[in-house]
């Protein structure tokens, strides 16, 4: 049985035809690697989340597996009481051989044995086998793939260590394809090239590695130092052992452990320095602000935030923010200072990348200090929203530079965001793919499920595909997001949007208000409340929510929506001139889609600005020739009075 690469089974020299069912193949692989008898309830939970008859489906799958692996008197699928076992003692399974190596360690094998194990791993574990709506199986599969990749890297590193240079190049090439950011592998390659006198190739390899590391924000100084040292040792005899690359391997038991938490961007918020008090004074305004920022960032659930006790303890030891970032091994460090001058409060904040020591965002907030608590609340809101937005932008831009097949769940999620915010049908499909990759790699990643829900929302809202199936997909993905983390405001945001698609206005508002209760700094929650109230709820509440979302995230990719929601609310209030001004701003934003342009065109027509309205109508018609008021009203959920106003605007433009 081959489990590396696409699953395949041979009996003698004959390859067997596998059942088309993905669940049959998934169950076969799971049972093959199981180290003990599995209960039927566990197997049902693994692959059938909500079927009408899970045990019946399990029996059907086991019957298909029996047809593959049983022969004559040999019954390999064994059922006792309520348990199932797959006895493959007399069979060869590549993944079992490799799993055994993880238990004994690669050092227990000779060079030929290590080489044989490496050759067995001919592709990703169960390549191409994903099962819809099976989060338990997805978690197990992600864990297997990660463990086997780690073991493979260890094998390649050990083989490269012990091989003469001429052979080592091949192993190092394979290792670098598997682990392109392994600095030790790059250093070993540079050392081997220098020993063989291949200086030009070494320079080319160094240049390529530096470019790769720089796109990731990684420190490439050690690579340059390694190349200088290798060139200085060019008299070293060939075959001299390089620094060991051997990577730690996992025990056999680890291969059956459920997936660990996937990577998130990490952040330490250091206590702010109060420049208005004597040095060493604790607490006060600066301490309260840092505590508030840490708490609010943690509520967003999108980052791994170091706890207050740790950062305050380092601060008391006079550890600088930069050193604290390196000690805590976090991606980002936020720090700042507070100063009172007469009746004004000034707060300076900066956000730095730990690895590059580059300041990625800095701001000074000045306010009158009439009510210190309200001022701190306002400043805290802006700091939290700015930090979250800046980190998301950096991570999104970094993910787009990486090869798609090298992304982890966090990176795939941000690659999806990059495409999602371009608001085109093609990019929405790319976004869906990357969000699906993220939840496959980490089924517990609530934000990735929320992003996936948004892509289905977009398909329905924009009319890019059949509306009803997309609404149900948006609901399903939002439900998964809530299931894995109902404390994440993005999960409630996704559910609120999906419920709105179903025309369940009141319940949609409940979910969105829950998102804001969980995190008052969640700008998308405020925006979506504005979006919904602008059509059939309270238009004044819509204006307040739209303004709050813009205040929290003034450079948001969805800024056109925030402006457009404000414009729609003003139309319903009969304030057409004001509405036209805001709608025109919305239409001018990057990536504003046809519905946003239509808001502006119809609103300008209501305000009597027909020439400007016709220009926008022509722009819409160039992109969507038959676009009219029916398309517009089908996308939105206006109350009768609001719909009548926009119909009048369309009538004046001849878009009825």
């Amino acid at each position: 049985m081959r489990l590396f690469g696409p699953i395949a089974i041979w009996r003698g020299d004959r390859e067997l035809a596998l059942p088309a069912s993905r669940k049959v193949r998934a169950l076969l692989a799971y049972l093959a690697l199981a180290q003990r008898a599995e209960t039927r309830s566990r197997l049902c939970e693994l692959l059938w989340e909500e079927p009408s008859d899970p045990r019946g489906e399990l029996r059907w799958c086991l019957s298909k597996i029996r047809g593959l692996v049983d022969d004559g008197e040999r019954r390999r699928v064994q059922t006792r009481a309520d348990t199932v076992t797959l006895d493959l003692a007399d069979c060869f399974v590549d993944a079992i051989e490799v799993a055994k190596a993880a238990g004994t360690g690669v050092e227990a094998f000779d060079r030929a044995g290590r080489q044989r194990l490496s050759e067995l791993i001919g592709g990703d574990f169960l390549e191409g086998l994903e099962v819809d709506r099976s989060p338990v199986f997805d978690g197990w599969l992600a864990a297997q793939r990660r463990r086997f990749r780690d073991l493979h890297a260890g094998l390649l590193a050990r083989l490269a260590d012990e091989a003469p240079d001429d052979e080592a190049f091949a192993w190092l090439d394979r290792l670098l394809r598997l682990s392109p950011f392994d600095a030790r592998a790059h250093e070993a390659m540079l050392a081997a090239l220098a020993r063989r006198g291949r200086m030009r190739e070494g320079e080319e390899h160094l240049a390529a590695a530096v470019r790769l590391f720089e796109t990731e924000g990684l420190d490439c100084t050690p690579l340059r130092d390694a190349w200088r040292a290798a060139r200085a040792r060019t008299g070293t005899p060939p075959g001299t052992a390089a620094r060991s690359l051997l990577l730690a391997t996992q025990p056999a038991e680890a291969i059956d452990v459920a997936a660990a938490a996937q990577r998130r961007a990490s952040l330490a918020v250091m206590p702010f320095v109060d420049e208005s008090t004597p040095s060493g004074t604790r607490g006060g305004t600066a301490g309260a602000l840092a505590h508030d920022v840490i708490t609010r960032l943690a509520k967003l659930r999108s980052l791994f935030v170091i706890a207050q006790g740790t950062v305050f303890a380092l601060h008391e030891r006079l550890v600088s923010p930069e050193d604290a970032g390196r000690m805590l091994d976090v991606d980002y460090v936020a720090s700042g200072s507070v100063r009172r001058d007469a009746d004004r409060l000034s707060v300076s904040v900066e956000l730095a990348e730990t690895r590059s020591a580059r300041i990625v965002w800095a701001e000074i907030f000045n306010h009158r200090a009439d009510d210190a608590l309200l001022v701190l609340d306002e400043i805290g809101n802006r700091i939290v929203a700015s930090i979250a937005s800046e980190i998301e932008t950096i991570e999104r831009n970094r993910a787009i530079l990486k090869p798609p097949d090298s992304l982890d769940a966090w990176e795939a999620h941000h690659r999806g965001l990059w495409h999602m915010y371009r608001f085109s049908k093609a990019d929405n499909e790319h976004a869906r793919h990357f969000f699906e990759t993220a939840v496959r790699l980490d089924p517990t990643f609530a934000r990735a499920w929320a992003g996936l829900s948004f892509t289905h929302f977009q398909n329905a809202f924009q009319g890019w595909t059949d509306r009803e199936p997309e609404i149900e997909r948006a609901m399903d993905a939002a439900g998964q997001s809530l299931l894995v983390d109902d404390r994440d405001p993005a999960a409630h945001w996704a559910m609120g949007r999906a419920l709105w698609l179903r025309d369940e206005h009141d319940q949609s508002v409940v979910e969105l208000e829950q998102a804001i209760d969980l995190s008052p700094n969640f700008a998308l929650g405020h925006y979506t409340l504005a979006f919904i109230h602008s059509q059939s709820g309270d238009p004044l509440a819509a204006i307040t929510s739209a303004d709050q979302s813009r205040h929290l995230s003034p450079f948001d990719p969805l800024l056109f929506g925030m402006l457009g929601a404000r414009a729609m609310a003003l139309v319903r209030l009969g304030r057409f001139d004001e509405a036209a001004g805001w709608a025109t701003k919305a239409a001018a934003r990057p990536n504003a889609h046809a519905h946003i342009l239509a808001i502006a065109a119809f609103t300008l027509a209501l305000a009597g600005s027909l020439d400007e309205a016709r220009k926008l109508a022509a722009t819409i018609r160039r992109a969507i020739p038959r676009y009219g008021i029916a398309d517009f009203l089908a996308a939105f959920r206006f109350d009768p009075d609001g719909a009548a106003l926009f119909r009048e605007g369309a009538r004046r433009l001849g878009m009825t």
Side-chain angles (χ1 to χ4, degrees):
M1 185 184 299
R2 183 187 70 199
L3 299 182
F4 291 115
I7 186 172
I9 302 178
W10 288 265
R11 189 185 299 278
D13 294 329
R14 180 171 62 91
E15 183 174 356
L16 304 182
L18 296 178
S21 168
R22 287 174 172 266
K23 290 191 175 181
V24 170
R25 286 176 278 163
L27 180 62
L28 173 61
Y30 182 84
L31 289 172
L33 283 189
Q35 297 182 350
R36 58 186 179 277
E38 295 287 347
T39 64
R40 291 178 183 268
S41 59
R42 165 64 179 168
L43 297 176
C44 289
E45 177 189 333
L46 180 77
L47 288 167
W48 293 278
E49 193 176 28
E50 294 180 25
S52 57
D53 182 16
R55 293 208 166 214
E57 292 194 39
L58 175 61
R59 286 193 297 273
W60 180 84
C61 288
L62 289 174
S63 71
K64 295 296 183 181
I65 294 173
R66 285 190 179 96
L68 283 172
V69 300
D70 288 358
D71 58 274
E73 298 298 315
R74 189 75 168 88
R75 300 289 298 272
R76 294 188 173 91
V77 178
Q78 300 175 358
T79 55
R80 294 186 180 88
D82 196 43
T83 65
V84 179
T85 307
L86 184 59
D87 181 6
L88 299 175
D90 63 338
C91 303
F92 178 86
V93 181
D94 55 3
I96 291 178
E97 293 298 308
V98 175
K100 289 177 182 175
T104 57
V106 296
E107 290 295 332
F109 294 83
D110 59 17
R111 183 180 170 192
R114 284 190 283 269
Q115 186 168 342
R116 184 180 66 85
L117 284 170
S118 177
E119 296 302 329
L120 280 178
I121 308 176
D124 214 355
F125 180 73
L126 297 183
E127 185 175 309
L129 181 59
E130 279 77 37
V131 181
D132 293 336
R133 300 185 185 181
S134 300
V136 178
F137 176 78
D138 289 344
W140 175 82
L141 181 59
Q144 307 314 302
R145 287 175 172 169
R146 187 167 57 253
R147 301 303 185 189
F148 282 126
R149 283 174 189 155
D150 288 347
L151 177 61
H152 193 195
L155 285 166
L156 293 172
R158 187 67 181 88
L159 287 164
D161 270 344
E162 63 192 1
D165 284 341
D166 288 341
E167 295 180 25
F169 290 128
W171 298 116
L172 288 169
D173 278 336
R174 291 177 61 181
L175 176 57
L176 287 170
R177 285 197 298 272
L178 185 67
S179 302
F181 297 101
D182 188 338
R184 292 174 294 177
H186 286 287
E187 291 168 21
M189 176 66 85
L190 293 169
L193 289 168
R195 285 195 300 271
R196 302 302 292 175
R198 295 160 62 173
M199 297 302 177
R200 180 175 178 180
E201 290 178 60
E203 294 286 353
E204 291 171 349
H205 183 89
L206 175 65
V210 166
R211 286 195 300 271
L212 179 68
F213 274 48
E214 285 179 343
T215 61
E216 267 297 286
L218 299 174
D219 183 12
C220 38
T221 302
L223 299 184
R224 293 192 175 98
D225 292 343
W227 179 237
R228 280 194 293 270
R231 293 191 61 159
R233 294 194 306 266
T234 51
T236 303
T240 300
R243 179 159 61 97
S244 176
L245 285 165
L246 187 60
L247 306 178
T249 54
Q250 300 291 333
E253 307 88 77
I255 291 183
D256 282 322
V257 176
Q262 293 287 336
R263 182 178 71 85
R264 303 287 187 272
S266 51
L267 169 71
V269 179
M270 298 302 292
F272 290 16
V273 176
D274 194 335
E275 296 180 348
S276 305
T277 60
S279 178
T281 302
R282 297 177 57 185
T285 302
L289 183 57
H291 168 77
D292 193 40
V293 169
I294 290 170
T295 302
R296 295 187 192 203
L297 282 167
K299 286 182 176 181
L300 282 174
R301 314 282 276 195
S302 58
L303 301 166
F304 177 80
V305 184
I306 298 296
Q308 174 187 327
T310 298
V311 293
F312 274 69
L314 291 175
H315 181 66
E316 290 182 2
R317 288 163 49 190
L318 303 181
V319 176
S320 70
E322 296 80 8
D323 289 339
R326 286 189 288 271
M327 291 172 64
L328 296 169
D329 193 25
V330 292
D331 300 305
Y332 302 92
V333 177
S335 58
S337 62
V338 177
R339 174 180 291 277
R340 281 181 179 272
D341 290 313
D343 62 345
R344 299 200 65 80
L345 182 68
S346 177
V347 179
S348 300
V349 190
E350 65 179 36
L351 177 69
E353 274 188 318
T354 305
R355 291 171 293 187
S356 64
R358 179 171 64 96
I359 296 174
V360 296
W361 170 76
E363 188 61 85
I364 298 175
F365 301 95
N366 284 297
H367 283 264
R368 289 183 60 84
D370 298 332
D371 188 329
L373 290 178
L374 287 177
V375 169
L376 285 176
D377 188 58
E378 166 70 12
I379 293 175
N381 278 339
R382 295 181 64 186
I383 290 172
V384 169
S386 296
I387 286 175
S389 176
E390 290 296 329
I391 291 177
E392 180 179 289
T393 300
I394 293 165
E395 296 291 318
R396 198 168 68 226
N397 292 341
R398 180 177 291 149
I400 200 66
L401 296 174
K402 293 195 67 175
D405 59 356
S406 71
L407 301 176
D408 61 21
W410 172 260
E411 293 160 339
H413 165 64
H414 281 81
R415 184 72 166 262
L417 290 177
W418 191 90
H419 286 286
M420 186 182 86
Y421 288 140
R422 296 174 72 83
F423 299 100
S424 71
K425 184 177 180 180
D427 275 294
N428 200 58
E429 275 303 294
H430 288 309
R432 181 186 59 78
H433 163 74
F434 284 113
F435 289 135
E436 287 176 345
T437 299
V439 299
R440 185 180 73 247
L441 294 171
D442 181 5
T444 66
F445 195 172
R447 292 250 163 167
W449 284 112
L452 181 59
S453 177
F454 186 77
T455 62
H456 294 303
F457 170 91
Q458 281 288 93
N459 280 335
F461 179 66
Q462 300 283 2
W464 288 332
T465 57
D466 291 343
R467 186 179 178 91
E468 293 307 317
E470 290 299 316
I471 292 174
E472 293 312 305
R473 292 180 186 117
M475 283 290 299
D476 288 345
Q480 285 293 329
S481 185
L482 280 172
L483 182 65
V484 299
D485 189 356
D486 65 358
R487 304 295 294 171
D488 192 323
H492 292 275
W493 167 73
M495 182 56 74
R497 293 188 76 106
L499 287 166
W500 176 83
L501 280 175
R502 279 187 167 180
D503 208 13
E504 297 180 25
H505 175 278
D506 292 343
Q507 190 58 38
S508 172
V509 170
V510 169
E511 288 292 337
L512 293 168
E513 288 177 342
Q514 177 68 18
I516 293 169
D517 287 343
L518 287 169
S519 176
N521 303 98
F522 187 53
L524 288 179
H526 290 283
Y527 154 60
T528 308
L529 265 181
F531 175 80
I532 290 172
H533 279 307
S534 70
Q535 299 165 57
S536 57
D538 181 349
L540 291 175
I543 291 171
T544 300
S545 294
D547 289 345
Q548 178 68 354
S549 64
R550 287 187 301 112
H551 185 65
L552 287 170
S553 189
F555 304 105
D556 200 281
L558 278 162
L559 184 58
F560 63 76
M562 300 170 183
L563 298 167
R566 200 181 203 282
M568 290 190 293
L570 288 167
V571 166
R572 290 179 59 215
L573 291 170
R575 292 152 60 178
F576 301 142
D577 289 339
E578 282 183 72
W582 290 101
T584 301
K585 291 178 183 177
R589 295 298 305 171
N591 300 324
H593 50 71
H595 294 324
I596 296 295
L597 300 183
I599 293 171
F602 300 152
T603 304
L604 283 164
L606 289 171
S609 300
L610 287 175
D611 288 342
E612 291 180 66
R614 290 187 183 109
K615 290 177 184 177
L616 283 170
T619 301
I620 297 170
R621 288 279 172 81
R622 282 195 294 270
I624 308 175
R626 300 179 63 84
Y627 188 94
I629 188 62
D631 302 286
F632 182 79
L633 293 178
F636 292 94
R637 295 276 191 264
F638 287 104
D639 62 13
D641 290 342
L645 287 169
F646 280 99
R647 281 198 184 94
E648 173 59 21
R651 186 193 65 77
R652 296 182 186 184
L653 284 175
M655 294 182 71
T656 56

